[in-house]
Amino acid sequence: MSLVLYRKYRPQLFFEVVGQDHIIGSLKGGLTSGKFSHAYLFTGPRGTGKTTVARILARAFNCENLANGEPCGKCGSCRMVARGEAMDIAEIDAASNRGIDEIRALRDGIRFVPASLKYKVFIIDEVHMLTKESFNALLKTLEEPPAHALFILATTEIHKVPLTIISRCQRFDFQRLGIDRLTERLKKIAKAEKAKISEEALRFIGLASDGCMRDAESLLGQIIASGDKKIELEDVQKILAVADSKMIFDFFGVIFSGDRYASFLIINDLVDRGIDIQHFMQDAISHLRKLVFMAVCSSGKTDSVFCDNVLNAEKAGKEARFFDEWTDTQKKMAYSQAIGLKTENFIGILNIFVKALDDLRKFPLPQMALELAALEAIEELEGNFLADDSKTVADKAMPLKEKGQSIKNNRINAVDKENKINANKDVSSNEAVLEIKEKTSHSELTIDSIKNHWDDVLKEVKSHNNSLFAFVGASLPRELENNILIVAVKYNFHKERLEEMKNRLIIEEALEKVFGKKIKLKFVLDQNLTLSQKISEGAKDLVSSALKIFGGKIVE
Ligand SMILES: [Zn+2]
């Protein structure tokens, strides 16, 4: 079913081909003047019309009444080709197993004159898939082609085609179709099929197909087949299970405003709608790339000049094409997002999302990678995220020193209840801290007291790095041996993250602040670990928000 529309509406004449105007013009010119090459090489992304144009060209070479470069469709040759009876036109799929045999047969049979047409035409699809041996055979033929033979080679991967072959062909580069041309074409097909479908829905199908006509047409076929009622944008989104640009704008809107909670809500919503997270991340990366581009384009220009170049379709400059997937309102929204951020921020956030996409498989649930990326992106914007190891933990700790009071308060929380009761209520907080420090350094620190004050460690880590805090919150202190604290974690990716030097240092520093003592860390894997723990009332919110990320719960 999916290919039906594609076959049904496959262009039979040059003028029906969408896009690729420069190629069609040049081919028709050659046909009309009679000065055409004997070997053509069509290269470009899949679904851009290479094979379609090759077939029309093969008919045009042989047409007896060529009119302005178009095959007539009525002469004996045209009719024979249309019936599929023309033995002189051969299509070879180099990707198939028979490729080698077919090239060999081609080499042996090529010297015989055509059976019924003017020219023998060989269309070799996916030519880059040929073996070395086949390329050599093909090269010999291309070096001295008989006057009655023509070759049309097509490839999606030009870099895999030997230069010796390329240099003997006239090369044409097929371009990905622009969204407007694609939508226009889909609209025509929908009309011919008498399908009721909104223009936004058609445009969305075009966008989802990424410039590939074949995909766009087969998607349209599936969607039309799904029912009789009028098809709206939401129906298409549901069928494709991909997010539209509005969701992406919303997602980055909350990230740029630093709203962690809202970013989680949006991710939850994506999951509820069954949207593919990997796909969403790819879209997010391409969105960021466009924002970077917008920031770069707009730098050094006044608002009005830039807006004329990008936002005003009538005066649109070269830059405008890059943003043609967005509506005018979205372009303005993107512009306000882009000018509000520094280039370094963009690079940092882009790196975070690229890494998250890369790490996707390491997470038990794909949305965890996205959640973490969202948190890290916000940290990056707030200047807290250690994007590389060049920043030292000491640098990061600087602003914290100014928050001395809160650190002291943490220390007070850290002492045993007993100490608090014994402490003289009249002493100032400074003296209290001193007393605690002395107390802890004289008495042995035990694993129980670490467990009891784990939430203070969490608070300390949270003030440094929110995403790291989530990881620490989902781990459990196990044992303390010779000042080495053994901490259990459930997942390997989680362990790897905690073991990273910069993260380890942050946690060790937090331990030192809370317990007044240098403690080294060792992480162990425990796949049976339940992420439940008994914690103090005050830290419940803090810990539960960390546990939520990892699907754990608090034991009452
Ligand atoms: Zn004809």
Side-chain angles (χ1 to χ4, degrees):
M1 169 62 215
S2 60
L3 270 177
V4 168
L5 285 187
Y6 183 65
R7 294 215 181 97
K8 189 169 171 187
Y9 294 98
R10 183 168 222 156
Q12 301 299 318
L13 293 169
F14 283 128
F15 86 90
E16 293 169 335
V17 175
V18 182
Q20 325 302 353
D21 300 350
H22 61 296
I23 294 175
I24 303 294
S26 159
L27 290 175
K28 278 163 119 180
L31 285 161
T32 323
S33 68
K35 287 182 215 141
F36 48 83
S37 159
H38 275 257
Y40 295 81
L41 178 60
F42 292 173
T43 172
R46 53 186 286 276
T48 47
K50 297 183 295 297
T51 313
T52 300
V53 172
R55 286 179 185 166
I56 301 173
L57 183 60
R59 284 171 53 212
F61 285 140
N62 285 301
C63 176
E64 292 149 29
N65 304 308
L66 202 67
N68 294 324
E70 288 280 12
C72 73
K74 291 177 192 127
C75 68
S77 301
C78 281
R79 288 212 305 266
M80 185 183 280
V81 178
R83 286 196 304 269
E85 290 168 5
M87 302 301 290
D88 295 317
I89 296 179
E91 276 191 43
I92 297 166
D93 179 8
S96 82
N97 289 331
R98 292 175 14 253
I100 300 173
D101 294 338
E102 283 178 316
I103 294 287
R104 214 172 280 143
L106 180 159
R107 194 188 51 188
D108 296 340
I110 196 160
R111 55 204 161 87
F112 300 112
V113 293
S116 46
L117 301 177
K118 237 189 298 180
Y119 296 101
K120 280 191 165 184
V121 185
F122 299 93
I123 299 171
I124 308 177
D125 226 347
E126 302 296 343
V127 69
H128 62 273
M129 297 288 282
L130 289 181
T131 59
K132 203 176 166 204
E133 187 197 334
S134 299
F135 269 130
N136 286 336
L138 180 62
L139 186 61
K140 285 213 176 69
T141 318
L142 288 179
E143 276 167 345
E144 290 170 34
H148 61 255
L150 299 167
F151 294 87
I152 308 169
L153 317 180
T155 181
T156 47
E157 295 179 60
I158 187 77
H159 57 280
K160 289 185 183 163
V161 180
L163 276 175
T164 45
I165 301 272
I166 298 177
S167 65
R168 281 179 174 77
C169 299
Q170 192 180 357
R171 173 175 165 172
F172 292 93
D173 288 64
F174 284 63
Q175 307 291 332
R176 227 175 265 280
L177 291 168
I179 181 62
D180 291 335
R181 303 295 290 271
L182 215 57
T183 311
E184 198 183 308
R185 166 93 179 146
L186 292 175
K187 211 194 284 181
K188 267 187 201 154
I189 295 177
K191 200 175 167 193
E193 289 291 306
K194 297 189 172 60
K196 285 169 276 174
I197 180 163
S198 75
E199 178 144 4
E200 293 128 296
L202 287 173
R203 197 176 165 82
F204 191 76
I205 295 171
L207 287 173
S209 313
D210 196 23
C212 175
M213 183 58 87
R214 183 162 53 224
D215 287 355
E217 287 173 350
S218 76
L219 276 176
L220 180 64
Q222 286 172 34
I223 287 159
I224 291 176
S226 70
D228 284 339
K229 71 173 184 66
K230 175 151 192 205
I231 298 153
E232 300 291 349
L233 178 63
E234 296 79 51
D235 302 316
V236 178
Q237 284 167 358
K238 226 174 270 168
I239 291 167
L240 298 182
V242 289
D244 65 344
S245 44
K246 186 185 171 295
M247 291 182 207
I248 308 249
F249 269 105
D250 289 350
F251 180 69
F252 282 109
V254 300
I255 285 184
F256 295 152
S257 66
D259 192 339
R260 295 169 173 83
Y261 179 67
S263 76
F264 273 51
L265 288 183
I266 289 179
I267 295 168
N268 252 319
D269 189 40
L270 295 175
V271 175
D272 286 347
R273 289 171 185 230
I275 284 166
D276 181 70
I277 296 294
Q278 185 176 0
H279 201 142
F280 182 82
M281 282 208 200
Q282 284 160 346
D283 287 348
I285 289 168
S286 112
H287 182 92
L288 280 170
R289 179 174 159 258
K290 281 193 211 134
L291 289 185
V292 174
F293 192 74
M294 198 169 245
V296 172
C297 287
S298 64
S299 89
K301 288 184 189 131
T302 64
D303 280 6
S304 65
V305 170
F306 180 70
C307 290
D308 275 352
N309 283 347
V310 171
L311 306 181
N312 185 335
E314 278 157 29
K315 293 189 195 171
K318 264 184 294 188
E319 300 98 324
R321 214 181 139 249
F322 201 78
F323 308 109
D324 67 359
E325 292 174 14
W326 287 337
T327 63
D328 284 353
T329 322
Q330 285 175 332
K331 282 179 198 161
K332 280 176 192 143
M333 209 190 298
Y335 180 60
S336 68
Q337 285 184 349
I339 56 165
L341 291 176
K342 290 187 209 137
T343 319
E344 309 93 85
N345 285 143
F346 274 127
I347 295 167
I349 297 175
L350 201 50
N351 277 332
I352 288 168
F353 279 92
V354 169
K355 188 172 183 302
L357 185 62
D358 228 31
D359 287 349
L360 201 66
R361 292 215 184 114
K362 294 184 189 162
F363 288 83
L365 292 170
Q367 66 261 38
M368 286 167 65
L370 186 58
E371 285 162 352
L372 198 66
L375 289 178
E376 286 181 346
I378 294 172
E379 295 288 326
E380 162 74 30
L381 288 171
E382 291 176 356
N384 297 330
F385 185 67
L386 283 177
D388 57 38
D389 291 309
S390 62
K391 288 185 217 163
T392 66
V393 174
D395 287 342
K396 259 179 70 67
M398 281 293 275
L400 269 159
K401 295 219 167 88
E402 291 154 24
K403 299 181 202 159
Q405 197 56 42
S406 73
I407 293 167
K408 280 167 203 157
N409 289 343
N410 278 348
R411 282 191 187 134
I412 292 169
N413 291 340
V415 295
D416 294 330
K417 262 185 190 168
E418 205 183 317
N419 286 339
K420 255 188 205 164
I421 295 159
N422 292 344
N424 186 333
K425 278 177 188 160
D426 291 327
V427 298
S428 73
S429 60
N430 271 341
E431 284 167 334
V433 170
L434 199 68
E435 194 190 327
I436 295 153
K437 262 197 163 171
E438 276 169 5
K439 190 116 190 155
T440 41
S441 58
H442 286 307
S443 63
E444 266 311 301
L445 184 65
T446 64
I447 184 66
D448 286 335
S449 110
I450 289 181
K451 280 180 181 167
N452 288 339
H453 300 296
W454 193 238
D455 42 285
D456 292 312
V457 178
L458 272 179
K459 271 184 212 153
E460 197 53 51
V461 170
K462 189 176 196 294
S463 71
H464 278 255
N465 184 318
N466 234 333
S467 54
L468 177 60
F469 146 76
F471 280 109
V472 180
S475 62
L476 281 182
R478 272 272 161 84
E479 280 170 66
L480 183 69
E481 280 172 11
N482 304 324
N483 272 344
I484 298 171
L485 178 64
I486 296 168
V487 178
V489 295
K490 187 164 183 170
Y491 303 111
N492 199 40
F493 76 94
H494 184 161
K495 181 166 170 273
E496 282 171 11
R497 188 62 73 99
L498 289 170
E499 279 171 345
E500 281 170 24
M501 186 54 83
K502 62 188 180 194
N503 291 336
R504 179 192 286 271
L505 286 174
I506 292 173
I507 306 165
E508 286 179 358
E509 199 182 5
L511 285 166
E512 190 182 353
K513 271 188 187 138
V514 173
F515 301 108
K517 200 170 187 178
K518 279 202 189 307
I519 300 167
K520 290 276 157 207
L521 283 165
K522 188 182 171 190
F523 298 100
V524 292
L525 208 57
D526 178 1
Q527 277 160 357
N528 299 319
L529 183 78
T530 48
L531 294 176
S532 317
Q533 54 178 311
K534 289 190 176 176
I535 47 156
S536 66
E537 200 57 41
K540 202 167 270 183
D541 283 352
L542 201 63
V543 177
S544 71
S545 66
L547 287 178
K548 218 193 256 170
I549 301 176
F550 296 98
K553 63 175 192 291
I554 296 168
V555 175
E556 293 297 331

